[in-house]
Amino acid sequence: MGEPARKLEPANKPPQEETVSPWKEAWRKFRKNKIALVGTSIVFFFILVALFAPLIAPQGINEQDLPNRLQPPSADFWFGTDDFGRDIFSRVVYGARLSLTVGFLAVVGSAIVGSMLGIIAGYYGKWVDTIISRLFDIMLAFPSILLAIAVVSILGPSLRNALIAIAIINIPNFGRLIRSRVLSVKEEEYIMAAKAIGMSDRRILFSHVLPNSMTPIIVQGSLAVATAILEAAALGFLGLGAQIPEPEWGAMLAASRALLVQAPWTLFFPGLAIMLAVLGFNLMGDGLRDALDPKMKT
């Protein structure tokens, strides 16, 4: 018996294109951005330092060694000691835990509240949009640090109240960003179809509008953490944030400003930690924006 006839395939059959999910494509672009990877490495370094602070710090944060006060950096004291003989390296390490906690929690709080207000304003429009948008305009009319100082002055100086103030002043940034995104998303055909089949507004918002508005939230959130760390340090420096003897970087700068000439290392290392942390989040945020923003695609 002869072999069965084989089905002939067209010689010029076009190759099938492999479908790649948007998140995989964004990750591929992010990995190619060397500067973003440097920023991400800095961020993960500080996260690891904050998580393993008890294992890294050689001394307690308030352990005083008066005979060794104001010692310069050495093999025994890597970052030197302050005017109470406390090890600056240990305090900077524990300060990473405080600063990152304030940064992350403040951004999460402002992102949740701001996103919800922005979604409601953009989706319902009319007088709801007018009221919420004017509220955002009023808050943005004040310089952020002055508004944070006003909030902390009302609530009282403390690290917890500084966190609340930072979360409040960042709400309009998320709200306006998400509102503009929702204004375009709600005109899409799938939103029209969801309304046509009688889907409730709450289900449309949480099942369709919010998931399709996550990209700007992620990008803005990574950049906002850097701003929150800087604002927490500013409030701590002014005495309105973390209070002595908490090892918060801004408070450490404030406590050591009189030692600028006598012991400059007491200011240099906390200031260097603030600079590196803010730089890391900014570089990572720029990389996320380039990878996730459709307008950046070529």
Side-chain angles (χ1 to χ4, degrees):
M1 296 178 62
E3 295 182 359
R6 296 181 180 178
K7 184 178 180 181
L8 297 179
E9 296 182 359
N12 298 326
K13 182 179 179 180
Q16 293 183 352
E17 295 184 0
E18 182 182 358
T19 58
V20 181
S21 68
W23 292 106
K24 287 184 179 181
E25 177 67 16
W27 171 240
R28 183 185 63 81
K29 293 185 63 177
F30 186 81
R31 285 186 303 173
K32 291 184 177 180
N33 192 331
K34 304 301 182 183
I35 296 178
L37 292 179
V38 171
T40 305
S41 301
I42 295 174
V43 170
F44 275 102
F45 169 76
F46 277 103
I47 291 175
L48 292 175
V49 168
L51 291 175
F52 298 103
L55 301 177
I56 299 174
Q59 298 183 17
I61 56 177
N62 294 318
E63 184 178 341
Q64 299 184 11
D65 186 5
L66 294 179
N68 288 315
R69 59 190 299 270
L70 297 179
Q71 291 293 315
S74 63
D76 296 328
F77 306 101
W78 290 358
F79 289 179
T81 60
D82 61 9
D83 50 343
F84 290 99
R86 296 174 296 192
D87 182 54
I88 296 177
F89 176 75
S90 300
R91 292 178 62 79
V92 169
V93 167
Y94 274 94
R97 176 174 290 187
L98 292 178
S99 295
L100 292 184
T101 299
V102 170
F104 282 120
L105 292 182
V107 169
V108 169
S110 59
I112 292 175
V113 177
S115 298
M116 290 298 101
L117 291 176
I119 288 175
I120 293 172
Y123 185 78
Y124 290 104
K126 299 182 180 179
W127 63 270
V128 176
D129 184 19
T130 301
I131 293 176
I132 295 178
S133 297
R134 295 298 79 77
L135 176 62
F136 289 160
D137 292 339
I138 292 173
M139 296 178 67
L140 291 172
F142 296 92
S144 59
I145 189 62
L146 293 182
L147 185 59
I149 291 174
V151 174
V152 175
S153 300
I154 296 172
L155 299 178
S158 71
L159 187 61
R160 179 177 64 87
N161 292 339
L163 189 156
I164 296 173
I166 294 170
I168 291 174
I169 65 176
N170 282 288
I171 287 175
N173 298 327
F174 285 94
R176 289 171 65 91
L177 181 67
I178 301 305
R179 173 186 172 274
S180 62
R181 175 68 176 171
V182 172
L183 287 175
S184 61
V185 169
K186 74 176 185 178
E187 301 299 332
E188 297 290 340
E189 293 181 357
Y190 61 89
I191 300 295
M192 301 294 183
K195 292 180 178 179
I197 64 176
M199 188 177 293
S200 64
D201 288 344
R202 185 177 66 176
R203 188 175 177 185
I204 293 175
L205 289 175
F206 287 98
S207 299
H208 299 289
V209 176
L210 183 59
N212 286 283
S213 304
M214 287 301 297
T215 298
I217 296 177
I218 294 173
V219 175
Q220 178 63 26
S222 60
L223 296 172
V225 173
T227 305
I229 292 174
L230 203 58
E231 290 166 344
L235 292 175
F237 183 81
L238 295 173
L240 299 174
Q243 301 297 301
I244 297 175
E246 290 180 297
E248 195 271 329
W249 294 333
M252 292 175 65
L253 289 175
S256 303
R257 56 188 171 184
L259 304 173
L260 176 60
V261 177
Q262 184 181 2
W265 58 87
T266 58
L267 288 90
F268 175 77
F269 290 107
L272 179 64
I274 295 173
M275 186 271 290
L276 288 177
V278 172
L279 177 64
F281 279 103
N282 279 331
L283 294 179
M284 186 179 71
D286 288 340
L288 289 174
R289 181 196 60 196
D290 295 343
L292 295 174
D293 190 352
K295 296 180 182 178
M296 304 299 294
K297 295 182 179 180
T298 58

